């Protein structure tokens, strides 16, 4: 039979067989060992198992142990029982979105990969309480998606075991409060994004928010809530806006607060900042306390030093030690040092002898923890400031004039020498001297302010110093903005522009 086939037909048959093998490998019907009905209909691709949209009401029991990514989204799962994912020792990504989950029993993730699981998607379900036992068996989790549930409470220890968390999405729930004290720097050193937008938050615990690390303050999304308007809250968001935090600048239109006694009830406080014109924003203590390690103040001026710490609670006490080894506690000493209960130290009238290292300690007696901080204070005398300022002003003005004059003289007189006895320029090269013409064109391209024209010909392309990158397919809508789309076969970028590669998005998710 093969002898009767022409070479072209034989090639076609071989190609068809290879294509069939490739399709059977890349998209196959998942069956574990024997003909089991539990995973029939699931699609296998290498170590990825997808069982989406199959109407499953329980987790299949014969999932291959080699699965690294398991997708059970868009099914009818209501409960997750203990040991549902046992034997999946390589599992790193688990997607359970768009189900009807109401309960996660203890031990659900037991005997699974545990520390290897990095991404868990429980979004678009019916969970009401984030209980403490949910994530005990998966301490290595880095990204947790819980948006679009019916959550009204997050237990204080629910996220305690997840010390490696980087991103948590809790938007579009019904949370009236959140245990901010459970996600401090000492417990979650890598947490950089917490999305609590579109909830029912009313009063923010500014004491705990002020002690969050700066990276988490930048990634704390609180828009579209039911916050009560007050000066302290307005001051906090205003400071975040001044520092350019994306959580505020990207959602200025969505930051609102509720005003009692007003007919409309809500105010977009970034658009109507005049509502807070009676707030003494300059005199009030900023809710975000950050302290530089070295500060300077003029003699006779006042200086406020903050004892920045992550320790919080009523059991935390503060004290300072001045450069002359003086112990300072509230309310301060009888001299120029005044101390407040929140740990801040004020130098009311700075003197030259007040310069030196100020040492602060925060002590949590309940948990037997303490933190220290050093601040180098320099008090500059008035005469030194005046002399220094006048010298700087006069000297910089004079120096600017001299430099400008030198540049003009160099431009006018330091041109290439034109010798009277030099040989005259050679006539332009003919078409036969190709090499010489190439040299001259190279020189002219160096001296010319504009790049030389480049002619195109067969097999030749114009060099534009641009990069061609292939973009990813269009992602789902997040934060009300579309992800990067695929524009044709490629996108021609401007010079020196680098392609972006996103592994995880550090912005909150919004429902489709």
């Amino acid at each position: 039979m093969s002898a009767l086939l022409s070479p072209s037909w034989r090639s076609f048959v071989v190609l068809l067989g290879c294509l069939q093998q490739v399709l059977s490998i890349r998209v196959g019907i998942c069956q574990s060992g024997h003909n089991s009905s539990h995973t029939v209909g699931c699609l296998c691709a290498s170590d990825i198992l997808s069982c989406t949209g199959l109407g499953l009401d329980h987790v299949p029991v014969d999932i291959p142990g080699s699965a690294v990514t398991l997708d059970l989204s868009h099914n009818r799962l209501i409960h997750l029982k203990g040991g549902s994912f046992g034997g999946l020792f390589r599992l790193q990504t688990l997607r359970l979105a768009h189900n009807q989950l109401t309960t996660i029993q203890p031990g659900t993730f037991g005997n699974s990969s545990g520390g290897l699981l990095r991404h868990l998607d429980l979004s678009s379900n019916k969970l009401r309480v984030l209980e403490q036992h949910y994530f005990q068996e998966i301490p290595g989790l880095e990204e947790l998606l819980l948006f679009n549930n019916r959550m009204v409470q997050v237990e204080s220890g629910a996220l305690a075991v997840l010390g490696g968390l980087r991103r948590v999405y809790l938007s579009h729930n019904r949370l009236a409060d959140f245990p901010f004290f459970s996600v401090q720097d000492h417990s979650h050193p890598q947490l950089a994004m917490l999305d609590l937008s579109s909830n029912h938050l009313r009063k923010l615990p500014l004491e705990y928010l002020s002690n969050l690390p700066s990276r988490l303050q930048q990634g704390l999304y609180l828009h579209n809530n039911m916050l009560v308007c007050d000066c302290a809250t307005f001051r906090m968001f205003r400071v975040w806006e001044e520092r350019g935090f994306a959580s505020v600048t990207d959602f200025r239109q969505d930051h609102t607060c509720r005003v009692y006694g007003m007919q409309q009830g809500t105010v977009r406080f970034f658009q109507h900042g005049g509502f807070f014109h009676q707030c003494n924003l300059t005199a009030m203590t900023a809710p975000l306390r950050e302290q530089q390690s070295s500060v300077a103040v003029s003699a006779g001026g006042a200086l406020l030093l903050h004892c920045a710490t992550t320790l919080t609670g009523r059991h935390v006490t503060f004290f300072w030690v001045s450069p002359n080894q003086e112990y300072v506690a509230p309310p301060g000493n009888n001299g120029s040092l005044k101390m407040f209960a929140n740990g801040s130290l004020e130098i009311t009238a700075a003197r030259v002898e007040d310069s030196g290292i100020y040492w602060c300690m925060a002590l949590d007696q309940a948990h037997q923890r303490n933190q220290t901080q050093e601040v180098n204070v320099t008090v500059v005398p008035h005469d030194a400031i005046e002399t220094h300022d006048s010298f700087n002003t006069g000297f910089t003005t004079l120096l600017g004039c001299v430099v400008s004059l030198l540049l003009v003289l160099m431009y006018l007189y330091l041109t290439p020498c034109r010798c009277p006895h030099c040989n005259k320029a050679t006539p332009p090269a003919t078409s036969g001297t190709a090499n010489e013409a190439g040299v001259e064109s190279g020189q002219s391209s160096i001296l010319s302010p504009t790049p030389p024209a480049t002619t195109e010909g067969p097999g030749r392309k114009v060099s534009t110093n641009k990069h061609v990158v292939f973009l990813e397919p269009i992602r789902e809508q997040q934060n009300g903005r579309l992800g990067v789309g695929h524009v044709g076969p490629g996108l021609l970028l401007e010079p020196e522009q680098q392609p972006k590669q996103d592994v995880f998005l550090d912005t909150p998710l919004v429902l489709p």
Side-chain angles (χ1 to χ4, degrees):
M1 180 67 182
S2 60
L4 299 177
L5 295 175
S6 63
S8 59
W9 277 102
R10 284 199 298 268
S11 301
F12 177 75
V13 172
V14 172
L15 179 61
L16 187 61
C18 293
L19 181 61
Q20 183 179 2
Q21 291 181 2
V22 170
L23 290 177
S24 64
I25 292 175
R26 295 198 52 162
V27 180
I29 303 300
C30 294
Q31 294 182 354
S32 177
H34 56 283
N35 293 330
S36 174
S37 61
H38 292 92
T39 55
V40 172
C42 298
L43 299 181
C44 285
S46 182
D47 53 6
I48 300 174
L49 179 62
S50 176
C51 302
T52 63
L54 299 179
L56 300 177
D57 57 2
H58 62 277
V59 179
V61 296
D62 54 352
I63 299 174
S66 60
V68 174
T69 298
L70 176 59
D71 192 348
L72 295 171
S73 58
H74 295 277
N75 281 290
R76 301 175 182 175
L77 302 178
I78 299 177
H79 308 287
L80 292 180
K81 300 180 180 180
S84 296
F85 303 98
L88 304 181
F89 300 111
R90 299 181 57 195
L91 192 62
Q92 297 183 16
T93 300
L94 178 59
R95 298 188 177 96
L96 296 164
H98 293 280
N99 279 278
Q100 301 177 22
L101 291 175
T102 58
T103 306
I104 300 178
Q105 296 181 358
T108 293
F109 304 101
N111 296 324
S112 63
S113 60
L116 293 179
L117 190 63
R118 296 289 184 265
H119 177 95
L120 177 59
D121 187 356
L122 292 167
S123 61
S124 299
N125 280 282
K126 298 181 179 179
L127 297 173
R128 293 184 57 85
V129 178
L130 195 63
E131 300 183 23
Q132 185 171 351
H133 66 80
Y134 280 2
F135 313 118
Q136 294 294 325
E137 298 90 4
I138 47 176
L141 198 64
E142 295 181 357
E143 187 172 49
L144 178 60
L145 282 69
L146 288 162
F147 64 90
N148 192 30
N149 275 271
R150 300 177 180 179
M151 210 162 297
V152 297
Q153 180 185 1
V154 176
E155 294 186 357
S156 59
L159 304 177
V161 70
L162 304 179
L165 269 181
R166 297 177 182 270
R167 284 160 291 274
V168 180
Y169 299 85
L170 281 163
S171 63
H172 292 276
N173 279 285
R174 305 172 184 177
L175 296 175
D177 54 27
F178 182 83
F180 289 99
F181 60 86
S182 65
V183 291
Q184 297 294 323
D185 193 26
H186 63 275
S187 60
H188 295 80
Q190 302 181 49
L191 186 59
M193 208 216 69
L194 177 59
D195 183 9
L196 292 169
S197 61
S198 300
N199 275 280
H200 297 170
L201 299 178
R202 296 181 180 273
K203 187 69 175 179
L204 296 177
L206 301 183
E207 179 183 0
Y208 294 114
L209 293 181
S210 65
N211 291 313
L212 292 177
S214 178
R215 70 174 182 281
L216 184 53
Q217 291 175 359
Q218 297 183 43
L220 180 59
Y221 293 84
L222 296 169
H223 57 278
N224 284 334
N225 273 285
M226 300 180 178
L227 302 176
V228 177
C229 296
D230 58 52
C231 293
T233 303
F234 176 71
R235 168 63 179 173
M236 182 188 72
F237 284 109
R238 182 63 71 186
V239 171
W240 285 358
E241 183 190 31
E242 293 173 355
R243 296 179 182 177
F245 289 179
S247 58
V248 174
T249 58
D250 292 350
F251 299 94
R252 294 182 79 258
Q253 308 295 328
D254 301 317
H255 280 84
T256 61
C257 60
R258 299 177 62 86
V259 181
Y260 295 115
M262 290 185 60
Q263 184 176 1
Q264 295 182 351
T266 60
V267 172
R268 298 182 185 274
F269 51 80
F270 282 117
Q271 292 182 334
H272 306 284
F275 180 81
F276 299 93
H277 69 278
Q278 296 181 352
C279 297
N280 190 358
L281 301 180
T282 57
M284 62 188 298
T285 304
L288 301 177
R289 297 195 306 267
E290 290 186 357
Q291 180 60 62
Q292 298 179 353
S293 59
S294 180
V295 295
V297 62
S298 59
L303 179 64
L304 184 64
L305 305 178
H306 299 298
C307 188
T309 177
T310 60
L311 302 180
T312 58
R314 60 180 181 178
H315 301 289
V316 178
T317 57
F318 304 89
F319 68 88
W320 287 80
V321 177
S322 65
N324 57 2
Q325 304 302 316
E326 180 184 4
Y327 176 86
V328 183
N333 59 12
N334 296 328
S336 61
L337 299 179
K338 181 180 180 181
M339 186 174 174
F340 303 93
N342 63 357
S344 299
L345 179 69
E346 182 181 8
I347 304 177
T348 56
R351 303 168 297 176
V352 177
E353 52 267 26
D354 291 331
S355 300
I357 302 296
Y358 286 78
W359 183 70
C360 167
M361 171 172 280
L363 177 62
D364 187 351
Q365 299 177 354
H367 298 87
Q368 297 298 317
R369 295 182 300 175
N370 63 78
Q371 292 182 359
T372 60
Q373 182 184 19
E374 292 183 356
V375 183
N376 185 12
V377 176
T378 302
V379 180
V380 183
H382 285 290
D383 53 353
I385 296 177
E386 295 174 358
T387 304
H388 180 69
D389 292 342
S390 60
F391 173 77
N392 280 345
T393 303
F395 180 74
T396 53
T397 304
L398 178 62
L399 181 61
C401 294
V402 173
V403 171
S404 301
L405 180 61
L406 289 177
L407 291 176
V408 172
L409 293 177
M410 291 174 62
Y411 177 76
L412 294 176
Y413 296 102
L414 296 183
T415 57
C417 177
R418 297 181 175 85
C419 301
H421 58 276
C422 294
N423 295 330
K424 294 183 179 181
T426 58
T430 62
S431 60
T433 57
N435 294 335
E436 295 178 2
V439 174
E440 290 182 2
S441 62
Q443 293 176 352
S444 63
S445 67
I446 296 175
L447 299 178
S448 175
T450 58
T454 306
T455 59
E456 290 192 51
R460 181 180 299 177
K461 294 182 179 180
V462 179
S463 175
T464 58
N465 193 26
K466 296 184 179 181
H467 306 283
V468 178
V469 295
F470 291 89
L471 301 182
E472 300 176 356
I474 294 178
R475 303 191 183 99
E476 293 183 357
Q477 192 177 22
Q478 298 179 359
N479 292 343
R481 299 172 298 183
L482 288 177
V484 179
H486 183 84
V487 184
L491 178 64
L492 191 62
L493 301 180
E494 292 299 328
E496 302 303 328
Q497 185 173 352
Q498 299 295 334
K500 298 182 180 180
Q501 298 179 355
D502 297 334
V503 179
F504 293 116
L505 295 177
D506 290 340
T507 53
L509 299 180
V510 175
L511 293 180

